[in-house]
Amino acid sequence: MSDTTYAKGLEGVIAGESRICKVDGEQGRLYYFGYRIKDLAANATFEEVTYLLLYGELPTVDQLIDFSDRMRKSRDLSPPILQMIKAFPRESHPMELLQSTINFLSGYIDHKIEHSPTCNCRQTLHQIAQIPGVVAAFYRFKNGLDYIPPRDDLSHGANFLWQLKGEEPDPEDGKIMDKCLILHAEHSFNASTFTARVVASTLSTCYCSISAAIGSLFGSLHGGANEKVMAMVEDIDTMDNVRPWLETALEEKRKVMGMGHRVYKAKDPRAIIMEDFLRTLSRKYGETRNLDILKEVEKVFREKMEEKGKPIYPNVDFFSGAVYSLLGIPSNLFTPVFAIARASGWLSHILEQRSDNRIFRPKALYTGDVELPWPVLEERS
Ligand SMILES: CC(C)(COP(=O)(O)OP(=O)(O)OC[C@H]1O[C@@H](n2cnc3c(N)ncnc32)[C@H](O)[C@@H]1OP(=O)(O)O)[C@@H](O)C(=O)NCCC(=O)NCCS
């Protein structure tokens, strides 16, 4: 391969084969194992989608009952994990805690096989089942509250709200939470998933692969965008301020968070569904300010970008923060919520990578010096 194949940020580069997820950026369509995101969000539970991602096919009734039961029984956190969460510095970001906890968790898994590079984590499902409890526990300890044990009669999403707030969520809110997790569960070779696959390709463990992926998701150009979107809404504050705020941002060449996508050249299909959830919840709680400001930002931003010949649309993170706020989730937990969902996709990719593995090892386009004369230490300036 010659250096002429260089593409900054690997744009347009095909880095591997995958059956898991198709992102049709031109049409604005998304599929998990061939099923449309629209149908999955309308009809499935997060547990059903997780089964699909881990086994490559939809479960039968009996398979789903058994799988959900296993996932729900794996939810509770053991005392050493709770102690670790309690001891973690309160000022740290929950993503930093989450990344550390995943590897800490692996030390407390009984099954020897789970420590080996051949483990598939399909048996214990700890990484998927326990992440919501870790996030909720960190939030509660930080606020001087006790750990709420999980409930096995609630969906993955509803149980997260329960463990976070200690109140049974309204059934519609629980359902929306579960569906938000479906929307974020998988998205092909994005930065964090690619990270998970690179680590898996060295034959490292599922735990190391997932903790690396969490580190990648933490960045504001990836998972951190929804937190930044809500900070933007707070900063804009009023409808009248949308246009001047955007004009200044664009003049200063700042990125408008929640807008744009490497792959989508149309509106992200997840943003369309997320907007529907936001409308439902805004109406229900009589709080439309965030929705109104976001819609105005979308309108003015798109207008401005089209003038420059750059059609840029909202991505999934544009509306998700406002949805989570109405579900009572504090903004520093938005990215951890993304991780709660994406753990299923990461695991799916780790398993696929291992099924036909070759270690990732791209080349760099070297732009440094060569053959420099060796300067004696004392003579260096
Ligand atoms: C998602 C994102 C990282 C994609 O990046 P990318 O494919 O590398 O695209 P680029 O950053 O090169 O953008 C291409 C052009 O559109 C502009 N652009 C893209 N997204 C923009 C945004 N959100 N606000 C302002 N301008 C944007 C860029 O300034 C660039 O203009 P230029 O060609 O004049 O330099 C980028 O759109 C972005 O930073 N968005 C905001 C963060 C976000 O919402 N992330 C969540 C993704 S799910």
Side-chain angles (χ1 to χ4, degrees):
M1 200 192 286
S2 79
D3 285 335
T4 54
T5 54
Y6 168 57
K8 195 168 183 179
L10 297 184
E11 182 163 10
V13 171
I14 295 175
E17 292 175 43
S18 181
R19 289 183 57 233
I20 301 171
C21 176
K22 180 173 169 63
V23 184
D24 180 345
E26 294 302 321
Q27 303 290 326
R29 296 201 182 131
L30 171 64
Y31 307 85
Y32 299 171
F33 280 102
Y35 296 101
R36 285 185 300 189
I37 191 67
K38 215 169 108 186
D39 293 336
L40 291 165
N43 303 305
T45 61
F46 181 73
E47 286 160 346
E48 204 173 345
V49 170
T50 298
Y51 185 102
L52 173 68
L53 290 170
L54 298 192
Y55 292 92
E57 57 187 21
L58 286 171
T60 62
V61 174
D62 288 347
Q63 284 167 336
L64 183 57
I65 290 171
D66 172 63
F67 184 77
S68 295
D69 190 49
R70 276 197 293 129
M71 250 179 96
R72 290 173 189 212
K73 285 200 173 111
S74 300
R75 281 176 179 167
D76 206 6
L77 302 178
S78 63
I81 306 294
L82 290 170
Q83 273 163 19
M84 189 245 177
I85 299 171
K86 254 190 194 147
F88 211 77
R90 300 281 146 104
E91 316 71 52
S92 38
H93 194 282
M95 287 297 276
E96 292 168 316
L97 165 86
L98 204 51
Q99 188 179 35
S100 312
T101 316
I102 291 299
N103 278 324
F104 194 76
L105 251 176
S106 77
Y108 288 90
I109 305 299
D110 291 338
H111 310 252
K112 282 213 165 46
I113 187 132
E114 295 276 343
H115 295 284
S116 86
T118 51
C119 87
N120 64 28
C121 292
R122 282 191 187 121
Q123 272 71 43
T124 59
L125 296 167
H126 276 102
Q127 306 189 28
I128 300 171
Q130 298 203 338
I131 291 181
V134 171
V135 174
F138 182 61
Y139 169 78
R140 292 187 64 84
F141 293 156
K142 197 174 162 153
N143 290 287
L145 301 163
D146 289 334
Y147 172 64
I148 304 275
R151 284 194 19 194
D152 60 10
D153 59 334
L154 295 174
S155 71
H156 200 64
N159 177 65
F160 169 63
L161 294 176
W162 156 253
Q163 285 198 275
L164 185 68
K165 297 194 269 185
E167 290 160 22
E168 181 162 343
D170 167 273
E172 186 178 44
D173 290 9
K175 238 184 195 170
I176 289 181
M177 185 69 241
D178 209 55
K179 290 180 188 304
C180 288
L181 299 180
I182 294 175
L183 296 183
H184 282 92
E186 169 47 21
H187 212 235
S188 185
F189 278 31
N190 55 84
S192 59
T193 302
F194 189 56
T195 304
R197 286 189 80 125
V198 171
V199 178
S201 83
T202 69
L203 300 187
S204 184
T205 67
C206 298
Y207 289 86
C208 288
S209 304
I210 290 198
S211 71
I214 291 171
S216 169
L217 185 66
F218 186 25
S220 65
L221 293 186
H222 190 6
N226 53 7
E227 200 177 330
K228 297 258 173 356
V229 170
M230 291 313 285
M232 171 182 77
V233 170
E234 286 314 311
D235 202 30
I236 291 177
D237 194 31
T238 62
M239 292 287 277
D240 291 346
N241 196 28
V242 169
R243 194 171 284 275
W245 191 96
L246 277 176
E247 279 164 359
T248 309
L250 292 176
E251 253 169 50
E252 291 173 356
K253 300 209 173 305
R254 277 189 276 134
K255 287 271 176 72
V256 175
M257 291 291 140
M259 286 288 172
H261 200 276
R262 172 65 63 80
V263 185
Y264 290 117
K265 303 301 168 214
K267 193 162 173 176
D268 182 334
R270 302 165 300 170
I272 296 171
I273 301 169
M274 207 48 105
E275 185 180 333
D276 276 351
F277 295 157
L278 181 56
R279 282 186 193 286
T280 305
L281 291 172
S282 300
R283 238 180 272 127
K284 178 168 156 186
Y285 291 112
E287 287 178 30
T288 59
R289 170 191 171 256
N290 292 348
L291 171 67
D292 295 342
I293 292 182
L294 286 169
K295 286 306 291 174
E296 188 65 10
V297 170
E298 179 184 358
K299 188 179 128 219
V300 177
F301 178 77
R302 290 209 41 212
E303 212 178 276
K304 298 254 164 229
M305 295 314 275
E306 258 158 45
E307 279 166 17
K308 296 185 185 183
K310 284 190 225 162
I312 296 182
Y313 301 86
N315 61 53
V316 65
D317 286 329
F318 192 66
F319 296 107
S320 63
V323 169
Y324 297 153
S325 292
L326 286 168
L327 292 174
I329 301 172
S331 65
N332 70 340
L333 296 191
F334 293 171
T335 313
V337 168
F338 195 159
I340 290 173
R342 192 53 63 86
S344 299
W346 290 329
L347 203 44
S348 179
H349 279 273
I350 292 165
L351 300 180
E352 186 178 61
Q353 179 63 37
R354 286 178 177 176
S355 68
D356 183 23
N357 188 48
R358 187 155 192 227
I359 189 167
F360 282 99
R361 205 323 182 176
K363 292 204 291 187
L365 181 63
Y366 181 64
T367 58
D369 297 317
V370 289
E371 301 286 340
L372 293 173
W374 180 253
V376 179
L377 180 60
E378 291 73 21
E379 290 169 14
R380 291 176 210 162
S381 52

